[in-house]
C-alpha cells in the first residue's frame, strides 16, 4: 500500500481491455499529476426550485495539465477507473472538497451540501468507509454537508460491501444520491434498502424535454417515483428555460445545468454564494 494525504490504499491490477498504448502513457502521468497536485475541483451550483437559491454544488474534477492545459474528466476518469488510480484520486477529491468547505464556512456562506462523485471502482477498496472517516476527521468536514453521488453500477458490484459502506457513512450524516438515474439497472428493492436520499435524473432525459414525449414521460415518472419513495429529485443538464419550466411544473426539487452555470473554479462559485 502507498501513502498519500495520510491515507494508505492499494492499487489494483489494471484491466486488460484498455488500449495499452493510452494506458501506458497516461497512467504514470496521472500518478505524477496527483503527486504534483495538478488536479482541481470545479463546482457546478445546484438550485433549489422552491427558493430559487443555490442549495449546494457538485464537485467535478479537472486536470490542470502543464502541457495539455485543462483536461476534462471524460479524458482521464475512464483510465483512472481502469487502472485503479481513481481510488487515490477519489480520496483526494474528498479531501479537497473538505478544504473548500472550510473556506465556505469561514466566509459564512449559506448553502446545503457539496456532492462528490464516487466511482464504482472505489468500492473495491476494503477500507473505503474507514478511509473516508479519516479524511472527514482530518479535514474537519461536517458530514451533514457532504454528499456522495453514486452510479447504479456501484450498487451492483458487491452488494453486501456496498450496503455496509453506505450504512456506516450515512450513520455519520452523509447523504447519498443516485447519479445518471434511469440509464442503469436499479431495482426498486435496492432503492428502498440502501440509504439513498436523492435521485439525479440523467441529462439525456432532460435533453428530450419539449422534444420527445417518451423522455418527458420518463422525467415525470422518475420525479413521481422519487417522491413516492420519500426521496428528493434533481434534474441535471438543464440547458434552457423550457426544460426548467417543465421541471417546475412537474414538481422537481432541484436543478443543475448550463442554464444556470457550467462547473466553475472555486473563486467563481464563491462569488455566486456571496450573492446567494
Ligand atoms: P456526472 O457525474 O454525470 O457529471 C455531470 C456532467 O454533466 C459534468 O461533466 C458536467 O459538466 C456536465 N453538465 C453539467 N451541466 C450540463 C448541461 O447543462 N449540459 C450538458 N450537456 N452537460 C452538463 P464533466 O464535468 O465533464 O464530468 C463528466 C463525468 O466525469 C462526470 O459525470 C463523472 O462521471 C466523472 N467525474 C467528474 N469528476 C469526478 C470525480 O471527482 N470522481 C469521479 N469518480 N468521477 C468524476
Ligand atoms: Ca455526478
Ligand atoms: Ca450525472
Ligand atoms: Ca454521467
Amino acid at each position: 500500500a502507498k501513502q498519500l494525504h495520510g491515507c494508505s490504499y492499494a492499487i489494483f491490477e489494471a484491466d486488460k481491455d484498455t488500449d495499452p498504448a493510452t494506458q501506458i502513457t497516461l497512467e504514470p502521468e496521472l500518478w505524477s499529476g496527483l503527486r504534483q497536485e495538478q488536479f482541481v475541483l470545479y463546482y457546478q451550483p445546484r438550485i433549489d426550485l422552491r427558493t430559487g437559491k443555490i442549495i449546494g454544488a457538485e464537485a467535478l474534477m479537472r486536470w490542470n495539465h502543464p502541457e495539455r492545459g485543462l483536461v476534462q474528466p471524460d479524458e482521464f476518469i475512464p483510465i483512472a477507473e481502469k487502472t485503479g488510480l481513481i481510488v487515490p484520486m477519489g480520496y483526494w477529491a474528498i479531501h479537497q472538497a473538505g478544504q473548500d468547505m472550510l473556506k465556505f464556512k469561514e466566509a459564512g456562506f449559506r448553502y446545503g451540501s457539496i456532492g462528490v462523485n464516487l466511482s464504482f471502482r472505489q468500492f473495491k477498496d476494503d477500507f473505503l468507509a474507514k478511509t473516508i472517516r479519516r479524511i472527514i476527521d482530518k479535514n474537519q468536514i461536517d458530514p451533514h454537508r457532504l454528499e456522495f453521488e453514486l452510479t447504479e453500477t456501484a450498487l451492483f458490484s458487491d452488494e453486501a460491501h456496498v450496503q455496509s459502506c453506505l450504512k456506516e457513512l450515512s450513520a455519520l450524516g452523509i447523504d447519498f444520491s443516485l447519479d445518471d438515474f434511469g440509464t442503469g439497472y436499479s431495482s426498486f428493492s435496492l432503492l428502498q434498502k440502501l440509504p439513498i436520499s436523492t435521485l439525479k435524473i440523467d441529462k439525456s432525459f432532460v435533453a428530450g424535454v419539449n422534444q420527445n414525449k417518451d423522455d418527458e414521460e420518463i422525467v415525470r415518472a422518475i420525479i413521481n417515483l422519487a417522491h413516492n419513495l420519500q426521496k428528493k429529485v434533481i434534474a441535471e443538464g438543464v440547458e434552457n428555460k423550457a426544460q426548467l419550466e417543465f421541471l417546475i411544473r412537474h414538481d422537481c426539487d432541484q436543478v443543475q445545468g448550463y442554464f444556470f452555470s457550467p462547473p466553475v473554479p472555486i473563486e467563481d462559485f464563491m462569488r455566486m454564494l456571496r450573492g446567494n
Side-chain angles (χ1 to χ4, degrees):
K2 305 193 183 181
Q3 285 280 131
L4 198 82
H5 300 302
C7 304
S8 55
Y9 46 81
I11 292 298
F12 312 100
E13 211 186 314
D15 292 351
K16 301 290 182 266
D17 57 345
T18 328
D19 173 12
T22 322
Q23 190 163 309
I24 284 162
T25 53
L26 258 176
E27 192 182 345
E29 266 196 82
L30 280 170
W31 252 122
S32 70
L34 191 57
R35 272 195 308 264
Q36 291 170 39
E37 298 182 57
Q38 290 168 0
F39 293 97
V40 286
L41 291 182
Y42 272 39
Y43 289 92
Q44 184 176 39
R46 276 189 283 121
I47 313 297
D48 184 342
L49 288 179
R50 261 155 319 197
T51 62
K53 289 187 182 291
I54 298 171
I55 194 168
E58 174 174 6
L60 292 152
M61 218 186 280
R62 301 287 182 267
W63 186 4
N64 230 324
H65 193 283
E67 285 116 42
R68 301 177 208 226
L70 198 67
V71 184
Q72 300 296 314
D74 288 345
E75 289 184 51
F76 64 87
I77 295 281
I79 304 215
E81 286 178 334
K82 296 258 183 207
T83 57
L85 267 171
I86 194 68
V87 174
M89 286 165 69
Y91 288 139
W92 171 82
I94 302 166
H95 155 89
Q96 188 58 50
Q99 295 283 304
D100 294 346
M101 282 152 79
L102 281 180
K103 285 192 197 161
F104 305 156
K105 191 181 175 186
E106 273 163 31
F109 292 145
R110 291 210 282 176
Y111 73 100
S113 62
I114 299 296
V116 177
N117 291 283
L118 269 193
S119 163
F120 70 96
R121 192 66 198 255
Q122 294 178 258
F123 284 93
K124 300 220 169 153
D125 180 1
D126 289 340
F127 301 103
L128 181 68
K130 200 176 159 209
T131 309
I132 290 174
R133 291 179 78 128
R134 196 156 58 219
I135 296 171
I136 286 174
D137 287 344
K138 278 189 80 152
N139 294 281
Q140 302 158 56
I141 297 174
D142 176 359
H144 294 93
R145 293 200 180 265
L146 184 60
E147 195 174 310
F148 287 120
E149 301 195 357
L150 312 169
T151 55
E152 292 159 281
T153 336
L155 305 183
F156 288 99
S157 32
D158 174 353
E159 223 183 280
H161 175 56
V162 171
Q163 207 166 335
S164 84
C165 278
L166 265 53
K167 277 212 177 113
E168 180 174 348
L169 295 172
S170 72
L172 301 177
I174 298 174
D175 274 340
F176 290 92
S177 59
L178 203 44
D179 209 351
D180 306 340
F181 190 78
T183 61
Y185 307 87
S186 289
S187 74
F188 295 141
S189 67
L190 207 56
L191 276 185
Q192 280 296 56
K193 211 160 27 170
L194 296 172
I196 289 163
S197 55
T198 308
L199 303 183
K200 289 193 87 168
I201 306 173
D202 190 68
K203 54 180 177 287
S204 62
F205 303 121
V206 176
V209 165
N210 275 7
Q211 309 213 2
N212 178 321
K213 282 273 165 258
D214 288 346
D215 285 339
E216 292 186 352
E217 283 306 321
I218 291 168
V219 169
R220 287 171 52 181
I222 296 175
I223 295 171
N224 287 331
L225 172 69
H227 288 161
N228 289 338
L229 296 174
Q230 261 69 258
K231 297 182 196 303
K232 284 210 178 334
V233 59
I234 305 180
E236 64 175 18
V238 177
E239 294 185 352
N240 59 53
K241 198 155 180 251
Q243 292 165 349
L244 175 66
E245 282 169 350
F246 179 93
L247 292 160
I248 292 173
R249 203 159 59 236
H250 292 99
D251 212 18
C252 189
D253 300 305
Q254 296 176 27
V255 288
Q256 179 184 334
Y258 296 162
F259 185 65
F260 295 93
S261 169
V264 293
I266 181 171
E267 296 77 24
D268 298 332
F269 179 57
M270 287 180 68
R271 217 164 289 133
M272 291 179 205
L273 282 178
R274 201 159 291 138
N276 196 35

